[in-house]
Amino acid sequence: MNQKFINISACVILYNPSNDIIENIATYADRVEHFIVVDNSDRKQPEIIKILKNIYPNLIYIDNHGNLGIATALNIACDTAIDHGSSWILTMDQDSKFVNFQDYLDCLGLLSDVSAIALLAPNTGRFSPEAIQKNVSDCTYEEHFVVITSGNFLNLNLFNTIGRFDDNLFIDVVDFDYCAKVKLAGYKTLLFKNILLEHQLGILHKRKNLLTRKTKYKREHSPQRAYYIARNYLYLARKYGKSFPQEFSLLKVLNIVFIHDVTKILLYEDQKCKKIGAKLLGAYHFMIGKYGKYTL
């Protein structure tokens, strides 16, 4: 099957972007029917938008006039793609780019029956990265439970059946929630091992261990992100802990968010009190049912 017979949209969610996004977007945006840009930025970048509009005649620009969160932005993009007759949408972060997107399109076109497939995902290097070879057009895939949102092909024919992205989360673990919905609904998520997405997982900081004084490079989150991670992981534990105890049991979430993460904060990170306080506030807001956007 040739991908040109599949109506495919792509979306990217912007948040105060830099010029780097132009290069990232160039790896996929000209090979889809509709390119949807959902702008969550607090500080608009009109020059970047002007450049993108000049390059991509298929661009649909949606200004949210502020940060409405990842979940809401993704829902807007999916609704827009459905309105334009698309059956699949590619969901992208602004800091992600493909190595071999054409191969990804070819793999989608080779799937004979997609009625039970909700998500397709590329390899971000977390799954057998040593086996990845650039420029290898091999559509080998395996079924996965949880994948990140960036680089996914989402089956829009199943979107409203499975359930939309959860606006309660705002940001953080929005992808985990949708993957759990996919699994609960009895659909599949396939990861293509030889389709490579380069994705920024966060900034590395050089930190010294408080006890051993040894220096390591560590990825860390701001107090604001620490708040969302704590609140939202507890929310997922309540939603899916019984259905998927291996992934979302309360014990596992408490271990990750409040034992492992807090230990790392105490040993390596700065703003220790602010980050731990943010986690505790996130836990409190979970207990009283306060969700959505919250600014510390």
Side-chain angles (χ1 to χ4, degrees):
M1 182 185 297
N2 191 307
Q3 71 275 1
K4 71 180 181 181
F5 298 113
I6 306 174
N7 189 326
I8 299 170
S9 288
C11 73
V12 63
I13 313 302
L14 300 187
Y15 183 72
N16 302 338
S18 67
N19 286 331
D20 294 342
I21 70 161
I22 297 172
E23 178 185 344
N24 297 340
I25 286 169
T27 64
Y28 60 87
D30 62 344
R31 304 182 196 182
V32 295
E33 293 294 322
H34 314 286
F35 174 42
I36 303 164
V37 176
V38 183
D39 197 345
N40 267 347
S41 299
D42 296 319
R43 301 185 301 275
K44 302 303 176 187
Q45 303 290 341
E47 287 304 313
I48 292 178
I49 302 304
K50 182 179 179 180
I51 291 169
L52 293 176
K53 286 181 176 179
N54 287 335
I55 297 172
Y56 304 107
N58 60 341
L59 188 146
I60 301 167
Y61 177 70
I62 300 170
D63 187 354
N64 280 344
H65 303 287
N67 189 4
L68 301 186
I70 293 294
T72 297
L74 287 169
N75 285 331
I76 290 170
C78 289
D79 288 339
T80 303
I82 290 170
D83 289 344
H84 284 79
S86 292
S87 52
W88 292 87
I89 186 169
L90 175 73
T91 56
M92 294 292 291
D93 289 354
Q94 65 184 18
D95 56 3
S96 298
K97 61 182 178 181
F98 278 99
V99 171
N100 54 340
F101 183 62
Q102 185 57 53
D103 292 337
Y104 201 14
L105 288 172
D106 293 341
C107 290
L108 171 58
L110 289 172
L111 293 172
S112 58
D113 182 6
V114 297
S115 60
I117 300 172
L119 291 172
L120 306 179
N123 196 334
T124 60
R126 296 187 302 154
F127 306 108
S128 303
E130 69 282 353
I132 297 174
Q133 300 179 49
K134 293 187 179 182
N135 302 318
V136 174
S137 55
D138 179 358
C139 293
T140 300
Y141 63 79
E142 53 191 35
E143 191 170 346
H144 275 254
F145 181 8
V146 172
V147 295
I148 66 170
T149 301
S150 191
N152 284 357
F153 273 128
L154 184 150
N155 188 342
L156 291 169
N157 295 319
L158 301 176
F159 177 59
N160 287 305
T161 300
I162 289 169
R164 302 162 65 80
F165 291 98
D166 193 335
D167 293 307
N168 282 336
L169 296 168
F170 190 70
I171 61 170
D172 280 309
V173 300
V174 172
D175 41 13
F176 289 15
D177 176 75
Y178 193 80
C179 289
K181 288 178 180 177
V182 167
K183 192 75 171 178
L184 274 178
Y187 296 105
K188 297 178 181 179
T189 296
L190 305 183
L191 184 140
F192 288 92
K193 298 176 69 173
N194 287 310
I195 305 302
L196 182 59
L197 181 82
E198 295 179 1
H199 178 70
Q200 176 62 256
L201 293 174
I203 300 173
L204 285 171
H205 298 270
K206 189 177 182 179
R207 300 300 190 202
K208 186 177 288 186
N209 186 300
L210 188 65
L211 299 179
T212 67
R213 312 308 295 173
K214 291 182 178 179
T215 299
K216 291 185 177 181
Y217 285 93
K218 292 284 186 179
R219 287 188 174 88
E220 57 188 68
H221 299 293
S222 67
Q224 184 68 69
R225 289 287 305 280
Y227 163 82
Y228 283 122
I229 289 169
R231 187 195 69 182
N232 292 354
Y233 262 102
L234 289 169
Y235 178 68
L236 293 196
R238 188 176 69 182
K239 283 182 74 174
Y240 304 117
K242 290 183 179 179
S243 301
F244 306 115
Q246 187 174 349
E247 292 81 9
F248 298 116
S249 70
L250 180 59
L251 184 62
K252 180 166 184 175
V253 166
L254 291 174
N255 180 56
I256 293 172
V257 177
F258 291 100
I259 298 177
H260 175 272
D261 283 4
V262 169
T263 300
K264 185 165 73 75
I265 290 169
L266 290 172
L267 289 179
Y268 288 102
E269 300 183 14
D270 58 6
Q271 298 184 284
K272 300 180 193 301
C273 292
K274 286 185 177 181
K275 290 176 181 179
I276 293 171
K279 283 183 174 290
L280 294 174
L281 180 62
Y284 172 67
H285 281 179
F286 160 73
M287 289 187 287
I288 65 173
K290 183 177 179 64
Y291 299 113
K293 184 177 182 178
Y294 181 81
T295 303
L296 293 178

